[in-house]
Amino acid sequence: DFDRKGSEWVQKTRHLARRGIFLADLIAFYKQIFDPAIMSFKPSVHTTNDVVRLGIIPLTSSTCSSYAELLNRDRSLVPSIMVTHNWSNLFRDLVASIVAHAMGEHSFDFIAELLSDMEGTKVLEEALLVKGLLTKSYWICAFAVNQHTGICGANPRLDIDPVTKAPHPTCPCSTPKFFNKDPPLGKHGESIQCEMNKFDDMMALLAFHDLNFQQIVAVDANIDLFGRAWCIAELAEAQRLGMNQKLMLKSNTTLFRRQGTLEGLKVEKMQASRPEDVQHILAKIPDTEAFNQNLRRLIFDRGGLLATWKNADVLQRMEELSHVLRWAKLSQQVENGALIWRRWLAPAF
């Protein structure tokens, strides 16, 4: 359908869809931000929003590009997995959910513990290398979208670094900014150059060309993701396209503590960083009540996201011995593998 939006729209969508990132590069970036010269990264405190403002934007200031473009240079990297996540989530937990998905885990609490310091991160990186998983490719908006054509020049909510308490810096670059109503406009009145209004078209494009293209949903510990308008729009689009969807939760405790808050979900009450984004999403939904009913089915039905996650989690718990043995074997294959067991037995949080 997006072909009818014009050749320039299609070209921009295709360009955006080719900005995948290898898991190896994601882990390398994660290790890099431990450097105090880049930011005062504290895994248990800094959110994805903090890392974009304090890490990604400054590191791409010389090229004024997306981080994926900086990494891949002129090469295209078509991802095999789309990550839906909210920027208020801890960045550590976002990375942990992606690593957990790569490793075939159904929750990411233990992996988040390993990512809580550089020592654990290095051991985890080696484990991913041993298992041959570092070449998995993901599409993550924080890395794929060029922040210099959007948010880099302003801090409208006066966000601060939670560690230093300093306001998030703004970028002085002169790169033109394009939000959803900035010309040139497409046939439906949406900005052609904006990189934040094409996620549904991009998902459709990738799913059409790769029948195995899938979505992982990196749920934060407070389950706030289900109240974010863009996240819900991505969930609904992936379900409409028949994509394989997988929920990644920190633990079953997370689910049981907050499940009740999901039962009254309504798309018209969703939030976004910019109010106009909510209106943009709602404008695409002809019947909000029907959408809400479908959303609840997607989450709660027998074959829905939560039921599928619960079944997988129960199965893994039933196979706990083989699960432990798998980690035991892995710990023997990596240097300092004993750290895995120290953390397993006595987690830091």
Side-chain angles (χ1 to χ4, degrees):
D1 289 343
F2 78 97
D3 283 337
R4 293 198 292 267
K5 294 184 178 180
S7 59
E8 291 180 301
W9 183 280
V10 172
Q11 182 180 8
K12 187 66 177 178
T13 302
R14 291 185 186 279
H15 189 48
L16 193 61
R18 294 168 182 159
R19 298 183 194 166
I21 184 173
F22 287 119
L23 184 52
D25 291 321
L26 177 61
I27 297 298
F29 172 83
Y30 190 82
K31 292 194 301 179
Q32 188 178 6
I33 59 175
F34 276 103
D35 183 349
I38 296 176
M39 63 176 286
S40 53
F41 182 55
K42 189 173 182 180
S44 62
V45 173
H46 280 115
T47 66
T48 300
N49 179 57
D50 295 324
V51 170
V52 170
R53 294 288 189 171
L54 300 168
I56 291 176
I57 291 175
L59 287 170
T60 54
S61 61
S62 62
T63 56
C64 290
S65 67
S66 69
Y67 192 83
E69 290 173 296
L70 176 67
L71 282 176
N72 302 331
R73 300 186 185 275
D74 294 329
R75 300 186 304 274
S76 295
L77 176 56
V78 178
S80 56
I81 302 150
M82 164 95 176
V83 182
T84 290
H85 65 105
N86 57 312
W87 283 27
S88 61
N89 191 10
L90 288 178
F91 185 67
R92 178 201 66 189
D93 287 359
L94 168 62
V95 175
S97 65
I98 294 169
V99 172
H101 171 266
M103 299 185 79
E105 298 288 302
H106 301 294
S107 58
F108 60 83
D109 50 350
F110 178 59
I111 290 173
E113 149 57 19
L114 290 175
L115 288 169
S116 292
D117 56 44
M118 180 64 87
E119 184 184 28
T121 299
K122 288 180 177 178
V123 170
L124 188 58
E125 180 182 35
E126 190 177 350
L128 290 166
L129 177 63
V130 166
K131 292 178 70 67
L133 299 173
L134 289 173
T135 56
K136 281 184 172 288
S137 57
Y138 296 84
W139 197 95
I140 309 166
C141 67
F143 293 94
V145 169
N146 183 354
Q147 311 300 339
H148 296 278
T149 63
I151 67 170
C152 80
N155 180 11
R157 296 180 302 178
L158 303 178
D159 292 336
I160 63 170
D161 182 333
V163 174
T164 67
K165 306 304 179 184
H168 284 172
T170 54
C171 176
C173 77
S174 57
T175 307
K177 314 302 182 204
F178 295 97
F179 296 97
N180 193 44
K181 292 300 179 181
D182 292 326
L185 301 180
K187 295 180 179 179
H188 298 282
E190 299 169 308
S191 174
I192 291 172
Q193 293 302 318
C194 178
E195 296 192 352
M196 296 170 284
N197 61 358
K198 298 174 175 64
F199 291 179
D200 51 353
D201 287 337
M202 186 202 63
M203 291 168 66
L205 175 68
L206 290 168
F208 176 78
H209 288 287
D210 180 1
L211 296 179
N212 295 316
F213 186 68
Q214 58 183 297
Q215 176 192 50
I216 63 171
V217 186
V219 183
D220 56 288
N222 292 321
I223 313 192
D224 290 336
L225 174 141
F226 291 102
R228 306 302 295 177
W230 279 117
C231 296
I232 291 302
E234 290 173 19
L235 282 176
E237 179 63 11
Q239 195 254 356
R240 185 187 72 83
L241 293 169
M243 286 169 53
N244 180 1
Q245 296 174 287
K246 186 168 183 180
L247 208 62
M248 301 304 301
L249 288 163
K250 190 170 186 179
S251 67
N252 61 348
T253 303
T254 299
L255 176 60
F256 296 146
R257 188 178 74 246
R258 295 296 304 274
Q259 182 173 338
T261 64
L262 302 179
E263 295 173 357
L265 284 179
K266 293 185 176 182
V267 69
E268 58 268 34
K269 293 184 178 180
M270 300 293 167
Q271 298 178 338
S273 299
R274 302 185 311 134
E276 56 265 40
D277 287 344
V278 177
Q279 297 307 314
H280 169 70
I281 292 167
L282 288 175
K284 294 185 175 185
I285 302 173
D287 186 338
T288 55
E289 183 51 39
F291 182 93
N292 291 333
Q293 290 178 6
N294 188 53
L295 178 62
R296 286 190 284 271
R297 285 195 294 270
L298 170 63
I299 295 172
F300 290 107
D301 272 10
R302 181 176 297 179
L305 292 171
L306 288 182
T308 301
W309 183 88
K310 286 179 184 177
N311 291 339
D313 186 60
V314 168
L315 181 62
Q316 191 170 75
R317 289 176 181 277
M318 290 173 63
E319 299 173 346
E320 189 66 24
L321 178 59
S322 62
H323 186 225
V324 171
L325 290 175
R326 184 157 62 93
W327 277 97
K329 181 179 179 181
L330 185 58
S331 71
Q332 294 170 356
Q333 295 174 287
V334 302
E335 188 177 356
N336 298 322
L339 177 142
I340 292 175
W341 292 112
R342 291 201 302 272
R343 300 292 177 84
W344 191 300
L345 295 172
F349 67 97

